[in-house]
Amino acid sequence: MLYRVLEGDKHIHVFAMTMILEENKVWIDGCFDFSHHGHAGAILQARRTVAPGAEPTSELYCGVHSDEEILHNKGPPVMHSAERYAHTAASRWCSHMIPDAPYVTEPRVLDSYGCKYVVHGDDITLDANGEDCYQEMKDLGRFKVVKRTAGVSTTDIIHRMLTGKYEYAMGMPPVSQMQMYATGPDGYAPWCSVYEGSLCPNKLLVKGDAQVESLPAVLISGDFDLFHMGHIEQLQRAKEVLYPGCRIVVGLHLDDTKTGTRTIMSLSERLLSILSCKYVDGVVVQPEMSGEHTSGWTDSLPIDDARLLEGGSFSYLTKQTIVSRVEDSRVLYVARNTKKGMVY
Ligand code: CTP
């Protein structure tokens, strides 16, 4: 068993009795800066290392590093620890989020939760001394590798902010990828539906869970650029406080709804991130807000509606606050990205 106590504002891990290691308890750790769909893909694949229907049901522990650990080993994160912790915990496949997880994965931390394996994408992560963060776990045969999602990284998102150039593929993700990200808590069974244009059956791209689909729909629309905790806590409020018993359907617009210009994240990146969020039950891509196909939802409101924002602890977070963090510390982020091979 591991106890976490607070000393000042820092979590201290206190180790006591070790639990029995279980095949179905899996650990994944990381920085999860921006918590983009590459991270969501790793979390989902970690969950899927346990076969569907396995007993006892799989549990996924997501360890998230503190800002101090990331700064020391990798460079400054953009999203703050409270934001990264809450965003990771909002993943549909995360059973438990463990804050302040050590940057170099320690077997005794996994032991204390009964987790046998750590899962990581197929890239090597080095600590500040150039050592493999997973070497000890590999030596113990307690390391599992999953496929890294191509074409997305924190480095690339920061690069877009530093240069103002948003060079990404347009269009929708492949249906097979949408189906993966639309799965329920076990990572296999269908959960979210995906539509294009409206909730009409002939506009269905991905079929979700029939019971979820039978609930009254509430449409929450926006561009959801950089899909962050400011958005997520509003979706949570809609699902748990304002519309319990309804399904929350995101109406995802193609461009920035305020300026009509390109979003920092592509449609595909935003869609996959939104699908991974446990407060989302469906997505309508480019919803038609007027004309013959507007029906199908019980209520419709824009993201950032006053009813959604009420009482939020992340309502300070907007796309601009995030971009400003990078712009205000430009020298630090250029240095961080240069270490990762980017040229400025
Ligand atoms: N990951 C992935 N696909 C990506 C990016 C990350 O599968 N495109 C995985 C990593 O392999 C790791 C987990 O997500 O298992 C958390 O990664 P993280 O520690 O946040 O950092 P990076 O791997 O450096 O990812 P990024 O460059 O995007 O920060």
Side-chain angles (χ1 to χ4, degrees), residues 170-175 178 182 192-200 202-206 219-224 248-255 257 263 265-275 280-289 293 297:
M170 304 296 275
M172 298 281 282
V175 170
M178 286 194 278
C192 292
S193 300
V194 182
Y195 292 83
E196 199 165 13
S198 75
L199 287 178
C200 293
N202 62 347
K203 300 283 186 163
L204 184 69
L205 303 176
V206 172
L219 188 80
I220 301 180
S221 305
D223 57 53
F224 295 87
I248 302 302
V249 180
V250 164
L252 180 59
H253 291 282
L254 183 58
D255 295 318
T257 45
T263 46
M265 280 186 173
S266 72
L267 180 73
S268 169
E269 291 168 341
R270 288 175 285 134
L271 172 57
L272 295 172
S273 288
I274 290 166
L275 284 175
V280 173
D281 303 308
V283 177
V284 181
V285 179
Q286 288 188 266
E288 294 168 22
M289 303 308 285
H293 294 300
W297 38 80

Side-chain angles (χ1 to χ4, degrees), residues 113-131:
Y113 292 103
C115 298
K116 187 156 181 185
Y117 297 107
V118 60
V119 173
H120 190 261
D122 53 3
D123 56 319
I124 291 190
T125 304
L126 305 176
D127 66 11
N129 303 318
E131 307 282 345

Side-chain angles (χ1 to χ4, degrees), residues 28-33 36 38-39 41-42 45 65 74 119-123 125 146-150 152-155 336 340:
I28 185 168
D29 52 24
C31 311
F32 303 110
D33 198 8
H36 55 63
H39 300 139
Q45 291 179 78
H65 311 314
K74 188 177 185 179
V119 173
H120 190 261
D122 53 3
D123 56 319
T125 304
V146 294
K147 202 165 164 35
R148 210 178 143 85
T149 304
V152 58
S153 66
T154 302
T155 304
R336 176 215 181 273
K340 291 266 182 184

Side-chain angles (χ1 to χ4, degrees), residues 50-106:
V50 178
E55 286 297 337
T57 321
S58 66
E59 278 184 59
L60 181 63
Y61 290 72
C62 299
V64 187
H65 311 314
S66 67
D67 291 347
E68 296 75 22
E69 283 270 82
I70 300 173
L71 181 63
H72 176 67
N73 289 284
K74 188 177 185 179
V78 177
M79 305 309 288
H80 301 164
S81 52
E83 297 155 1
R84 292 180 294 100
Y85 294 161
H87 197 143
T88 305
S91 162
R92 200 180 300 103
W93 309 295
C94 169
S95 323
H96 309 278
M97 187 283 299
I98 311 299
D100 202 9
Y103 200 83
V104 176
T105 306
E106 294 175 21

